[in-house]
Amino acid sequence: MQQTSDRIGGVPVRSIEALRAREAAIFAASRPRSAAAAAAPSGFLDGVPLHWMLDWPMPFRMVVAQARGATITDIDDHRLDDFCLGDTGSMFGHSPAPVARAIRRQAGRGLTYMLPNEDAAVVGRLLVERFGLPFWQVATTATDANRFALRLARAITDRPKILVFNGCYHGSVDETMVRLRDGRAINRPGLAGEFRDLAQATMIVEFNDLPALEAALAARDVACVITEPVLTNSCMVLPAPGFHDALRRATRETGTLLLIDETHTISTGLGGYTRTFGLEPDLFVLGKPVAGGVPAAVWGMTEEVAMRWEAYQKTKEQGYSGMGTTLSANPLQFAAMRATLEEVMTAENYARMERFAERLEAGLSAAIGRHGLPWHVARVGARVEFICAPGPLANGAEAEAAHAPALEAAIHVALVNRGCLIAPFHNMMLVSPATTARQVDRLVGAFGAVCAELAGH
């Protein structure tokens, strides 16, 4: 709707291209050491150890020298206010002091031995206290945790299908790699090496579309609905009033389990969106920041689900369950999770994050309004996004249509050149406990300057 042949997001394409070219030249000229590193043979496919690193819109990846608190310094000695924070992995700041101390302490005691230690018992109790569910397991990534939870759901319900919402993100779980096109489910474009029609096992409807949800569940062959409380890995889509209550009612009426994936929405507040808004999932997944940046994830379940799993195990054939990995639940994870849950993921830190996120939201919205751009800002707790389209958005299809890659890339590089780093995906910004008012104001000022240029002011 907002894109035409000569305008994207209400901005002339020529203005976007001019901004992108100029800012790319400034970036390249100011980072000779990173440029040399990017050009040198690395031994990595496409020059990066993880292909996601190719998604940054800069001319080349800058190389990080260190990250501390809410600041990243690159090898060319540029200090950036970091609002990406490892795409949520460092949501509470880089190397929080309690986590760093715990890692150093555990390093002398062994890193993995496939047995629990004293920290494990403490973490188990903290998870119950913080998130409300009585039984937990530990994985290494949220992708793994989601995969294991869905396997359990299929096992105890004896149902073959899952249901997702269009535009969802649950890591690289195969079953969730579908999208809606012309009213039917298809494999997501771009999947590498996929040999199955994933739509055979996955149903997909639009977020906030209760009639479609109820119709999809009516056959009672869906084992589990897996959802984020807010669509986040697209342009952000908030739930409509009453949506989560209706979702919970529909799943219970059809015997379908409900899995809430809080990996991004843990930004909402203490206990995540689930605790803040009183959701009642059967299964719960949290990854990324739960161990302060150390790879770890957790998945929890209700007592009823645990009892059904226990009964299932008594009848299943002996053999590998397909759930678990050797390095999961290692003592380094437990040390970092304990420090995070006890000393970092606190009500006081969340209150500070919320206060500065409100300040950021207000500042970005004011800049958009001041320059007459047809954009809007969305926020869930400490997570803020500016979206280069009118809003609010109602579902995944609208979120996809609102995505404006060329415009967003130009803005991103311009912000980097002004000392502010945001996520390379969806204009996402996080406020950490280490983020200062000065950093927030600097980002608002930089964003306002870029808006002014794009608006021709």
Side-chain angles (χ1 to χ4, degrees):
M1 179 179 62
Q2 89 282 8
Q3 298 187 23
T4 65
S5 60
D6 63 339
R7 299 180 83 84
I8 298 174
V11 179
V13 169
R14 64 180 182 277
S15 299
I16 297 169
E17 292 174 347
L19 177 68
R20 178 74 184 270
R22 187 183 70 251
E23 297 296 337
I26 293 170
F27 178 94
S30 65
R31 287 177 168 82
R33 296 182 65 187
S34 282
S42 68
F44 292 116
L45 179 66
D46 293 324
V48 291
L50 174 65
H51 66 91
W52 286 2
M53 294 178 183
L54 298 172
D55 291 340
W56 291 94
M58 295 88 92
F60 48 82
R61 273 75 54 203
M62 57 189 173
V63 179
V64 176
Q66 73 167 13
R68 184 173 300 166
T71 302
I72 276 183
T73 304
D74 67 18
I75 59 173
D76 290 287
D77 205 30
H78 294 281
R79 288 170 55 86
L80 297 171
D81 298 329
D82 186 10
F83 291 88
C84 174
L85 295 170
D87 192 27
T88 309
S90 293
M91 188 180 82
F92 298 102
H94 295 289
S95 299
V99 177
R101 288 194 298 268
I103 291 171
R104 287 194 295 269
R105 196 162 52 242
Q106 187 59 46
R109 301 173 179 173
L111 298 179
T112 187
Y113 28 75
M114 214 169 70
L115 284 167
N117 62 2
E118 291 181 346
D119 280 343
V122 175
V123 167
R125 292 193 295 271
L126 288 169
L127 291 171
V128 173
E129 175 187 309
R130 182 61 50 81
F131 302 109
L133 295 170
F135 297 103
W136 292 86
Q137 290 279 275
V138 174
T140 301
T141 69
T143 291
D144 283 342
N146 280 317
R147 185 182 295 122
F148 303 154
L150 290 176
R151 185 177 286 273
L152 179 148
R154 284 192 168 113
I156 68 174
T157 62
D158 195 27
R159 294 179 177 185
K161 296 181 179 179
I162 68 163
L163 185 144
V164 301
F165 293 106
N166 192 35
C168 69
Y169 180 72
H170 303 289
S172 55
V173 176
D174 289 351
E175 300 98 315
T176 68
M177 293 295 170
V178 296
R179 58 166 287 183
L180 274 176
R181 176 177 288 172
D182 299 326
R184 66 184 187 91
I186 62 167
N187 284 11
R188 279 193 183 183
L191 290 181
E194 184 53 64
F195 61 95
R196 298 159 295 180
D197 179 2
L198 298 174
Q200 296 301 307
T202 303
M203 305 191 76
I204 182 170
V205 300
E206 290 287 6
F207 196 69
N208 286 323
D209 188 342
L210 292 174
L213 171 69
E214 291 166 353
L217 297 181
R220 296 176 180 262
D221 58 353
V222 174
C224 186
V225 172
I226 175 172
T227 185
E228 307 166 88
V230 175
L231 290 189
T232 61
N233 218 52
S234 54
C235 297
M236 195 186 296
V237 179
L238 300 175
F243 173 72
H244 280 294
D245 288 341
L247 169 62
R248 180 68 280 193
R249 184 168 57 253
T251 50
R252 282 181 172 148
E253 288 174 353
T254 56
T256 305
L257 298 179
L258 176 61
L259 190 164
I260 297 293
D261 181 355
E262 288 266 17
T263 298
H264 286 161
T265 54
I266 191 64
S267 63
T268 308
L270 194 64
Y273 198 102
T274 295
R275 212 73 193 271
T276 302
F277 291 98
L279 306 189
E280 298 179 352
D282 301 295
L283 296 155
F284 177 102
V285 165
L286 172 60
K288 292 193 182 180
V290 71
V294 171
V298 295
W299 55 289
M301 67 196 76
T302 62
E303 184 172 4
E304 179 186 351
V305 169
M307 290 175 63
R308 292 173 68 179
W309 172 245
E310 183 180 7
Y312 168 80
Q313 290 199 90
K314 291 177 180 177
T315 62
K316 89 174 185 71
E317 184 178 2
Q318 292 297 310
Y320 177 45
S321 67
M323 298 156 57
T325 57
T326 302
L327 293 179
S328 294
N330 67 65
L332 184 63
Q333 289 176 323
F334 285 123
M337 278 195 286
R338 179 176 180 176
T340 300
L341 292 167
E342 285 185 331
E343 302 181 66
V344 178
M345 196 182 285
T346 64
E348 293 77 15
N349 276 342
Y350 269 110
R352 177 183 173 87
M353 292 157 69
E354 177 87 10
R355 185 168 68 253
F356 286 155
E358 287 179 350
R359 184 182 186 123
L360 177 58
E361 177 187 25
L364 299 177
S365 296
I368 289 169
R370 187 164 59 250
H371 298 292
L373 293 165
W375 305 352
H376 73 285
V377 179
R379 181 172 71 88
V380 56
R383 184 185 181 102
V384 183
E385 294 180 12
F386 63 86
I387 297 167
C388 300
L393 305 174
N395 55 45
E398 290 187 10
E400 183 178 7
H403 187 37
L407 174 56
E408 293 162 6
I411 295 170
H412 184 106
V413 180
L415 291 177
V416 168
N417 287 337
R418 289 158 177 79
C420 304
L421 184 70
I422 67 173
F425 318 108
H426 330 297
N427 313 317
M428 190 276 290
M429 296 154 282
L430 281 165
V431 173
S432 78
T435 304
T436 65
R438 180 173 295 181
Q439 288 178 307
V440 169
D441 293 345
R442 197 152 45 218
L443 174 55
V444 168
F447 179 76
V450 175
C451 287
E453 180 160 347
L454 289 171
H457 296 165

